[in-house]
Amino acid sequence: MENPGDRKVMKVLSGESVFPPPIWLMRQAGRYLPEYRKTRATAKGFLDLCYTPDLAVEVTLQPIRRFGFDAAILFSDILVIPDALDRNVRFVEGTGPLMDPISAEEIGRLDGGGMHAHLAPVYETVRRLRAELPSETTLLGFSGAPWTVATYMIAGHGTPDQAPARLFAMQHPESFMTLLNLLAEMSADYLIAQIDAGADAVQIFDSWAGVLSEADFARFAIGPMKRIVDRIKAERPGVPVIGFAKGAGAMLENYRAATGIDCVGLDWTVPAKLGQKIQEGGAVQGNLDPLLMVAGGAALDRGVDTVLETLGGGPLIFNLGHGITPQADPENVTRLIKRVRSAGNS
Ligand SMILES: Cc1c2[nH]c(c1CCC(=O)O)Cc1[nH]c(c(CCC(=O)O)c1C)Cc1[nH]c(c(CCC(=O)O)c1C)Cc1[nH]c(c(C)c1CCC(=O)O)C2
């Protein structure tokens, strides 16, 4: 029988402390898994993988079957929103994502009206996933945060410091806010549609929050995030939201209160004391250095123990501090899960 009450990730998201903590890994479906590479090779391209429910369901389930994670994350990408806006999004092997860089004039002409039709296969994937997943496994939907998605739309590709988007925001402040507001409304619509299709909770990835000044973090990261969370809380009350503002450092202290999110994602650079302070307000998620999944061995064990000692006393969803990398060894994931799940048994 379906008993969503058994979903440990949901318990933590409601503020309960569960020990050993539930665990999943950001980017848990991906190139470090041979079965992913095999399925990926059958798709015409990466977006084709995202928009073919048979394939997207399969790659979402692969890490659940292999490792028994406590949560599955929908297989898709944050850049399906610019794709739905006709920005000519491509994923080029070895180069990362590319799209047509947007101008201030073009921002005024963007039209998100076709989004739900374009993303219907993603909603179908969510529906099938909820039906196929074990009842104790939480299903997470996700989107990118407006700032992070905008950095790709403005540069047309990934950059190390997001200089193109920061400069654009200085030179075209009104167009830039128009873009962030549009992305916030579309992201809210997109996440609500994922919730209606069966997502139990959603995560919003602000992977490039760490390059912003304090004033810009308030305007470009917190403002749009709050706008999305306000809509979810008003329109789908009770559905938890995880916010992950990578690299935001001391600005994370106020992030939960300022945005209304239920759980604060912590990257691996967040100091223990700050993490604990944030956890006084509710759930946190993180924050093992993802490179430990390449290194393995005693270094991995020590890293796991440190996260558990630091954050294991409160509401914690064990995760990495950012996505797992293609170089990771699946054996190290097995070792990680075993160590987390046997914690407290000695
Ligand atoms: C910034 C960002 C993107 N995408 C995402 C983010 C935020 C998280 C983060 O910071 O890592 C989020 C994302 N991307 C993907 C997922 C799927 C679900 C999961 O986590 O398992 C999720 C949640 C699949 C993917 N998205 C991508 C892949 C690899 C593409 C392939 O298989 O060829 C996967 C599995 C491609 C992608 N997509 C993106 C980039 C920069 C790249 C290229 C870099 C890379 O290759 O890792 C944009």
Side-chain angles (χ1 to χ4, degrees), residues 26-184:
M26 289 188 274
R27 304 288 289 266
Q28 62 193 13
R31 286 162 296 180
Y32 75 107
L33 291 178
E35 58 268 38
Y36 172 84
R37 295 196 297 269
K38 209 170 149 202
T39 309
R40 169 83 168 82
T42 70
K44 276 187 236 98
F46 176 72
L47 282 174
D48 191 49
L49 185 58
C50 296
Y51 297 147
T52 309
D54 282 344
L55 300 180
V57 167
E58 167 58 24
V59 294
T60 305
L61 294 177
Q62 285 168 349
I64 307 303
R65 287 191 205 113
R66 190 193 263 257
F67 303 115
F69 286 119
D70 295 291
I73 183 160
L74 160 69
F75 190 86
S76 179
D77 198 85
I78 66 167
L79 300 177
V80 298
I81 294 290
D83 188 50
L85 286 166
D86 277 330
R87 300 310 302 162
N88 190 21
V89 175
R90 294 95 73 198
F91 287 82
V92 181
E93 200 71 59
T95 311
L98 293 178
M99 67 193 78
D100 297 344
I102 198 161
S103 65
E105 294 69 42
E106 285 173 301
I107 286 174
R109 297 199 296 271
L110 283 174
D111 177 8
M115 181 188 77
H116 288 312
H118 188 83
L119 298 177
V122 176
Y123 309 148
E124 173 64 17
T125 299
V126 174
R127 264 190 296 278
R128 290 205 213 166
L129 281 170
R130 191 57 277 172
E132 290 191 30
L133 280 167
S135 89
E136 69 275 14
T137 310
T138 295
L139 176 57
L140 300 173
F142 75 94
S143 77
W147 160 250
T148 288
V149 174
T151 65
Y152 290 95
M153 291 183 74
I154 289 165
H157 52 84
T159 74
D161 57 2
Q162 309 316 323
R166 285 157 54 215
L167 191 59
F168 188 100
M170 293 166 189
Q171 293 175 330
H172 308 281
E174 282 183 21
S175 300
F176 187 68
M177 285 317 295
T178 303
L179 178 61
L180 290 185
N181 289 334
L182 174 74
L183 291 172

